[in-house]
Amino acid sequence: MRIGLFGGTFDPIHWGHLRSAEEVREAFDLDRVYFIPASIPPHKRGQTRTPARDRLEMVRLGVAKNPRFTVSTVEIARPGVSYSIDTIRHFAENQCKGASLYFIIGLDAFAEIGTWKNFAQIFPLCNFIVTSRPGNGYASPLRGTSIAVRRLFCYDFKKKIYTHRCGTSLHFLKLTDFAVSASDIRERVRRGKSIRYLMPSSVEAYIKNHGLYKRKK
Ligand code: ATP
């Protein structure tokens, strides 16, 4: 089994997330992609977030029509800050033991990985697929990362990928640009603007019915 792990705040989930996951799934022939909403994202600590139950429900609605997409409550169920090392260990050692794991992450977020808790212990556990954000062309997945991260990888000229000495790999995938962000959606709702066609209509309806994002977050 080839499994994708796609973490995020998903506040709310939008077409940018869904289309990225679909392009990664297709390019890497993944059997399943888990969307993993964070409870308390370490890099967004202190920021007001929509309650986890609402973000989780919106992710459920967003992925509902794709049989290869599913939601994981592992971070929401775990108390405290949502560190990726704990999540990846959970999948590698319990839920998906024996599968090939691919952690999906945007180029901007991966550039910060050297600041993540126990980052060096993550790389032997799973492969990484670093994806472009709108405006990025083709790039090295290591762009913007610290030397402590770079020194862990070698470039394999035959396979044209970066490899870790434990055998895992690091890839870059250029996605179709879809310049939508959750913060932009929240801002539009706050200003009373339309959010139609930026996310599945079921998610849009959830936002309206629950009065989300009316005040500044
Ligand atoms: P915010 O605007 O609140 O920071 P966001 O829209 O960037 O949120 P997150 O939940 O923080 O969404 O992102 C989860 C993952 O999805 C990250 O790896 C991020 O790089 C990626 N991502 C988000 N929006 C897009 C997009 N439009 N295209 C490609 N990848 C995206």
Side-chain angles (χ1 to χ4, degrees), residues 39 47 62 99-100 109 115 118 126 133 135 148 154 170 191 211 216-217:
S39 172
Q47 292 177 25
S100 296
T115 64
N118 298 343
C126 69
R133 288 298 297 256
C154 287
L170 168 64
R191 291 182 13 236
K216 191 159 178 60
K217 290 212 190 284

Side-chain angles (χ1 to χ4, degrees), residues 12-13 58-59 61-62 195 199-208:
I13 191 167
M58 290 190 283
V59 175
L61 291 167
I195 53 169
M199 69 204 75
S201 52
S202 53
V203 177
E204 184 193 347
Y206 188 96
I207 292 171
K208 280 201 185 123

Side-chain angles (χ1 to χ4, degrees), residues 117-188:
K117 182 185 167 193
N118 298 343
F119 70 90
Q121 293 174 27
I122 296 179
F123 297 125
L125 297 174
C126 69
N127 307 288
F128 271 79
I129 303 169
V130 178
T131 54
S132 61
R133 288 298 297 256
N136 297 142
Y138 280 90
S140 159
L142 290 169
R143 193 172 90 181
T145 54
S146 62
I147 292 182
V149 174
R150 284 166 185 245
R151 56 191 281 276
L152 297 174
F153 291 92
C154 287
Y155 190 68
D156 181 327
F157 283 92
K158 262 198 200 143
K159 292 187 189 157
K160 295 198 172 119
I161 51 169
Y162 286 89
T163 54
H164 186 272
R165 63 184 155 74
C166 292
T168 50
S169 51
L170 168 64
H171 308 258
F172 176 78
L173 183 67
K174 169 80 182 90
L175 303 173
T176 307
D177 283 357
F178 221 125
V180 43
S181 72
S183 38
D184 173 64
I185 290 168
R186 297 194 297 273
E187 181 62 18
R188 281 173 199 263

Side-chain angles (χ1 to χ4, degrees), residues 6-11 14 16-17 20 43-44 104-109 131-134 175 178-184 186:
F6 188 29
T9 316
F10 301 116
D11 191 11
H14 51 68
H17 297 127
S20 314
H43 56 293
K44 291 183 182 172
I104 305 163
I105 178 168
L107 186 62
D108 49 341
T131 54
S132 61
R133 288 298 297 256
L175 303 173
F178 221 125
V180 43
S181 72
S183 38
D184 173 64
R186 297 194 297 273

Side-chain angles (χ1 to χ4, degrees), residues 93-109:
E93 293 167 8
N94 300 299
Q95 195 169 346
C96 294
K97 203 170 176 180
S100 296
L101 298 178
Y102 292 81
F103 194 86
I104 305 163
I105 178 168
L107 186 62
D108 49 341

